[in-house]
Structure formats: C-alpha cells, structure tokens
Amino acid sequence: MMHVFAFVNQKGGCGKTTTAVNLAGALAARGSRVLLVDLDPQAHATMALGHAVLDEITVREVLERGAPLESGIVEAEGGVALLPADARLVEFEETSARALHPESKLALALQGCTRPFDVVVLDCPPRTEGVLAANALRAADTAVLVVEAGAFALQGALKARALLEEKALLRAEPFSLRAVGTLFDRRSRIARDLLIGIHARFGEILFDTVIHSSAKLREAAAVGRPIHALDPRSSAALDFQALADEIELHAQERRAATEAALQET
Ligand SMILES: Nc1ncnc2c1ncn2[C@@H]1O[C@H](COP(=O)(O)OP(=O)(O)O)[C@@H](O)[C@H]1O
Ligand SMILES: [Mg+2]
C-alpha cells in the first residue's frame, strides 16, 4: 500500500524541496519504491533530481488533461521516480478555474496509477491557497510541516499548523499531520533556543530527527543529485537516513491503524 507524504509550509525557502528530494533519495537508497511529484512551477525538485523538462508529459498534463501518471514518470538521479514540473505548471492554476473538482486531480491520478510505489513524496509550492497545494492536501495521507529553525519562522509555522488542522477536518478521512525541523545550525546558541521552542510547540507531532544546515545539501542540489547519490557517508545523508526511518515507521503505523479500522467494519 502506498503512503503519500506532502511537504508543506506557505513560507518559501524553509527547506521543503531539500527535505522532499533528499528524503526520497534516502528511501530509494534502501530499496523503497519512491515517486516524487513536483507540484511547484519553480521546478526546484525536478532540477535537484538532475532532470530538465524538454517536450514531455509533466505533472501539468496529468492534472490538466488527465494524462496517465505513468506516462509522465522519468527515472531520475538516485533511483527516484519523478513526475517533473516546469514553469508552464502555472497555467494549470488558470485552466483549473473551468474544471470540475480541479483539486482532486492528483488524488485520482495516483489512484489510477498501475505502477506500485511504497512512498509518494509531494513537493508543494509556497502558495497554500492555490489549486496545486489543494491537490497535495487532497492526495496526502500525511502532511509534513517543514519548520525552519530560524528567527521569525516559528510564528509562521504555528499559523501553518492551524491552517492545516482546519484543512484536514474538511476531508472525510483527515490526513495526519507531522512536522520536521530543518536548517538547524548546531553551533548557534540562538538556533538551539529556537529548537527548544519548536519542541515545546510541536512536541507531539514533531519527528525526532532534525535536519542540520549543511553546505553538502546545497552542493547536492546544484549538481542535481540527492545527497545519498553524492555522499552517502556525509552527516547530511545520515540526517535523511534517520528521517527515512521515522517516515517508514509512521507509514507502517498508519497502515496498521487503517487495517484495524477496516476489520472492525
Ligand atoms: N538543511 C539545509 N542545509 C543547507 N541549505 C539548505 C538546507 N535546506 C535548504 N537549504 C537551502 O535553502 C534554500 C531554500 O531551500 P528549499 O529546500 O528550496 O526551500 P523551499 O522549497 O521551502 O522554498 C536553498 O538554497 C537550499 O539549498
Ligand atoms: Mg521548494
């Protein structure tokens, strides 16, 4: 059974794409069948996985024309299957105004996918009010709020959490909500205090793993490979290995809960 994780936060630059791409790489490195769907017209995840869109089917055609998901999937760096995006994805925001239930397109495409995946990772755009984010939250089993351990980030993250909790309740089967701290600088006193603040406010939904700030992660994105394909022994790769452990455990627990609920009915 596949589990869909959406990485979200309305703030740009807080590490959503970096977390999504390198988590996907860490899961793939251990043999998990991983699909990353790039839902951002900026296409940073597509680039970070070493792919350049030419004239092929992308996530836009899947959402807009109902092209089969499989027809757009490319085999990207690090063993990650990728449904890529490019700048033309913004046009879906416009055409979707005329479509029926445009926010359900991704969920439908994933349901119709005949290729088996264990984990699907959705990289979301910074806009949380648009139709792309709505597609992500409709398709997600779990939304993961990406919380940057930086000054001024906490208030925004708390607002995002409240918003996500509201959105979860709009669904017949609410997605579960987790959070992950990132861009943590262990040498900085302020960052350590911020992390304590994040723990205090997100404690029960926060993954134990914290992603540290690492120049290696920027380098990996620049050369278009997940950290596991570039330097699997780096401390950044170890961070993502630890996060991958927690993500797999979470997916297992949710699966067990769903099966238990099904048996009762
Ligand atoms: N853990 C990290 N260590 C170092 N740089 C990071 C880390 N996470 C993100 N970055 C850098 O910060 C910038 C924004 O990150 P990104 O993942 O693109 O954020 P978002 O997708 O939320 O806009 C990028 O230049 C990225 O390389
Ligand atoms: Mg991004």
Side-chain angles (χ1 to χ4, degrees), residues 169-183:
L169 293 177
L170 294 177
R171 276 187 20 179
E173 256 178 85
F175 52 79
S176 51
L177 180 60
R178 301 298 304 264
V180 62
T182 187
L183 278 158

Side-chain angles (χ1 to χ4, degrees), residues 9 11-20 40 42 44 123-124 126 146 182-184 211-219 221 239-240:
N9 192 330
K11 185 174 182 291
C14 67
K16 290 182 293 295
T17 300
T18 304
T19 306
D40 189 345
Q42 294 181 87
H44 289 166
D123 185 34
C124 294
V146 179
T182 187
L183 278 158
F184 175 61
I211 307 299
H212 295 83
S213 267
S214 149
K216 273 265 159 75
L217 289 172
R218 277 193 290 270
E219 186 190 329
D239 279 353
F240 280 101

